[in-house]
Amino acid sequence: SIMLPGNKRMLHIKEMDVMRFADTTKLVASHSSQYGNWDAKRAMDDSESTMQHTKGGQGEKNPWYYSKLSEAGEVHQVKIFGRTGSCASRLFYGSGCRSSNPSGNYNNANSQGATIRVSDSPCSGDNCPGTICGRITTSNSAQAFTITCPKGTQGKYVSIMLPGNKRMLHIKEMD
């Protein structure tokens, strides 16, 4: 609620967003594989000091991460907080640690960047179904990305997938 104390006061609100924060201990998260103890829940623990991490070494084909929302509904935007430091380049290409802020546009949908989707079904094998909200193809120094979904995008699963062979996914948070 909003209240203006006192007499002869007017309150004009053009827009008010009410956000509901889920208890992340009850949400489900999964990823295509796991490296060490870097489990999927680490990308939804509200801490940018932890991260989820898929298979190490040479990586894998089309690694993915998803979180299952508490109920199906409209998804307006997705925020991704990627790993910073020299391994930030993995969000854009390959499995090696090449750059903390790779320059250029990595838009080859078959082998570069990251694809964000919303679906009623979870990822499985090396595929994530659903409506594509957008792609992350350009780096920034903070490794923070906001993807706006097309109007009316509905689903229960929100996923990020790195297309191509020998890819490795690790993100700090997905909101």
Side-chain angles (χ1 to χ4, degrees):
S1 68
I2 300 174
M3 182 180 90
L4 287 176
N7 296 322
K8 298 182 181 179
R9 307 273 319 259
M10 283 195 216
L11 177 64
H12 298 273
I13 299 174
K14 184 175 181 179
E15 184 175 340
M16 182 170 131
D17 291 333
V18 177
M19 299 182 76
R20 190 173 47 149
F21 294 95
D23 178 359
T24 59
T25 62
K26 296 178 182 169
L27 295 180
V28 174
S30 185
H31 47 197
S32 52
S33 63
Q34 183 170 312
Y35 177 70
N37 64 349
W38 301 99
D39 63 85
K41 280 246 188 198
R42 290 177 182 243
M44 58 190 309
D45 63 2
D46 294 325
S47 172
E48 289 190 35
S49 65
T50 64
M51 66 180 166
Q52 65 72 236
H53 198 310
T54 60
K55 184 178 179 182
Q58 292 297 309
E60 64 185 302
K61 181 180 178 185
N62 299 340
W64 50 260
Y65 166 87
Y66 74 73
S67 61
K68 180 180 177 185
L69 306 175
S70 57
E71 59 188 46
E74 188 167 355
V75 177
H76 301 282
Q77 68 180 17
V78 179
K79 293 181 181 179
I80 302 287
F81 298 91
R83 180 178 181 173
T84 54
S86 65
C87 293
S89 59
R90 291 177 178 163
L91 191 59
F92 301 96
Y93 58 87
S95 60
C97 294
R98 298 187 182 113
S99 174
S100 60
N101 188 13
S103 61
N105 190 340
Y106 300 93
N107 59 6
N108 181 330
N110 296 317
S111 64
Q112 295 177 330
T115 305
I116 314 305
R117 289 183 173 88
V118 174
S119 176
D120 287 323
S121 302
C123 301
S124 178
D126 63 0
N127 181 51
C128 290
T131 301
I132 295 176
C133 288
R135 297 193 69 244
I136 299 171
T137 59
T138 305
S139 182
N140 63 55
S141 60
Q143 296 302 308
F145 308 94
T146 300
I147 295 85
T148 302
C149 298
K151 187 173 175 71
T153 300
Q154 299 260 339
K156 191 166 187 165
Y157 296 88
V158 179
S159 67
I160 178 172
M161 186 183 79
L162 304 184
N165 293 314
K166 297 183 180 180
R167 301 291 307 271
M168 195 179 302
L169 176 62
H170 42 63
I171 57 173
K172 292 181 177 184
E173 289 292 311
M174 183 167 81
D175 298 329

